[in-house]
Amino acid sequence: MVGNGVASAGTGLEFDYVVVGAGSAGCVLANRLSENGRHSVLLLEAGPVDKNIWIHVPLGYGKLFKEKTVNWMYQTEPEPGLDGRSVFQPRGKVLGGSSSINGLLYVRGQHEDYDRWRQRGNAGWGFEDVLPYFKKAENQQRGADDYHGAGGPLSVSDWRHDDPLSEAFVKAAVEAGIPYNPDFNGATQEGAGFFQTTTRRGRRASSAVSYLRPAKGRGNLRIETDAHAQRILFEGRRARGLEFRQRGEVRVARARKEILVSSGAYNSPQLLQLSGIGPAELLKGHGIEIVLDAPGVGNDLQDHLQVRLIMRCSQRITLNDIINHPLRRVLAGARYAALRKGPLTIAAGTSGAFFKTDPRLATPDVQIHFIPFSTDKMGEKLHTYSGFTASVCQLRPESRGSLRIRSADPAAPPEIRINYLATETDRRANIDGIRILRKILAAPSLKPYVVDEAYPGSNVTSDEDILGYCRQTGSTVYHPTSTCRMGDDGLAVVDQRLRVRGIEGLRVVDASIMPDLISGNTNAPVIMIAEKASDMILQDAG
Ligand SMILES: Cc1cc2nc3c(=O)[nH]c(=O)nc-3n(C[C@H](O)[C@H](O)[C@H](O)COP(=O)(O)OP(=O)(O)OC[C@H]3O[C@@H](n4cnc5c(N)ncnc54)[C@H](O)[C@@H]3O)c2cc1C
């Protein structure tokens, strides 16, 4: 039996707050909780310092997909809806967490997402409630307005490259009947336009760069890297400390006030389960002493699926042409080094669109990411031909999965089941989304650039064949959430102040607390969650 008592743990470090995980959320907490100088904070991160240079160059995210020094590199179990394929799940393991390896797109989701959270009983989480925290975080290049903040830690910028293909995509979407939208994070999300990115003067603005760097000199903040938290230690049902492994040694940190788990949608429920908070039969099966039978821990896992359409381009203007050509590649590198502009500033999408696959819907249910390159698998070699990609992402999947530990060994990767495409709504949205995307790709502005559709190919037209293509090739957009869901029902893990139900001195603050997946990319929402959590934690500290 693996025990959880703090009494047996020996002496170690002692702080007011111990934050587990220096990712999108954890860096925000470390900064905000140490800001007024009244509290001491220990930030533990399993990965290293963010020294890898590719972290800081936007296009470098392609190099980090399978870079195990900064990436947990998880895999799902065989997915029944994807022909039994296991889907690769990159997750940042470095200061900045996934915000150091992500695709940099700054998208908040829809106002209605947060109003739905409130409607589900989460007082204080409606759009009007969370907007001030999006603004507080933000340093918007275009300046402040009703929806945006300026002067916050997180730089949000327009793209620094002119690309005829990305512009043609936006024009083609308008020709296909989708309105132009200059700001996906403004009054409404619907429409076609250009993404903004979390960058500052052409360099990545991870949460480590934005929140940790300005705070790291503070005497009341200690940052420990290569420090893998293994279990939370309790006195009864009060979280008191944490055991972590650092360079082969097991150490203990005690928290005078609270432990804040910000280890991400996979590792936060894993840590709770390893610590005795989770479904009783699962914990018993692994010989873990039960602190609290919490059947919801690890439930409700949701993720965005993406299905990519690849087009052969008639002109040698794609990133494939630049990266595969020695001279053009060097010139692009030189341009970036000198001006921080050009193709190396490309993020996970340049332009895109949000639209409804069914006019009866209240808000868009599909997002398109357009990018002027093509590859068989993300993170692998670009095609030798000129190509570009547009992908369909269903925004509010109904399918639900789970995360469960495989053993009591903290080093063992958890068992991840997402159950992509498990419902008819999800299958329908993908099929209809692809049909609408094809209309955009055939519109006059893009037509001169298109030779043909390389994948799935123009012979794939029936619902059955399109769905078959989704099953054969669909993969993640890297947005797992909701495994420690906020709510007030029996399966909810945290309450509206993100305190773990039934336990004292313990909160979860990261993507895992989302009551359900928001309609967009998840980094900005997680940073908002951590900004709001910081205020609540400081209020509760008195
Ligand atoms: C490849 C990729 C592309 C993406 N693209 C985008 C995008 O373009 N736009 C967007 O908005 N979102 C994107 N996302 C999603 C977004 O980055 C995440 O939703 C967000 O970063 C999650 O934040 P988090 O704080 O919940 O977790 P993370 O940022 O993943 O942080 C968790 C941290 O905890 C650490 N940790 C975990 N377990 C332990 C432990 N036991 N002990 C100590 N430390 C631990 C991890 O190493 C990590 O640093 C992408 C994600 C990935 C992986």
Side-chain angles (χ1 to χ4, degrees), residues 20-26 44-47 61 65 72 90-99 101-107 227-230 262-265 267-268 270-271 348 477-480 509-512 521-526:
V20 189
S24 297
L44 294 179
E45 168 53 46
Y61 78 91
F65 257 77
W72 292 89
R91 293 279 99 197
K93 185 182 183 183
V94 58
L95 288 185
S98 298
S99 77
I101 70 162
N102 75 10
L104 300 97
L105 302 186
Y106 182 81
V107 177
H228 186 183
Q230 307 205 311
S262 298
S263 307
N267 293 45
S268 287
Q270 180 197 32
L271 181 62
V477 195
Y478 327 105
H479 298 161
V509 182
D510 59 24
S512 59
N521 312 64
T522 42
N523 184 46
V526 169

Side-chain angles (χ1 to χ4, degrees), residues 39 85 254 346 419:
H39 310 291
R85 286 182 300 121
R254 285 162 186 270
I346 290 182
N419 288 327

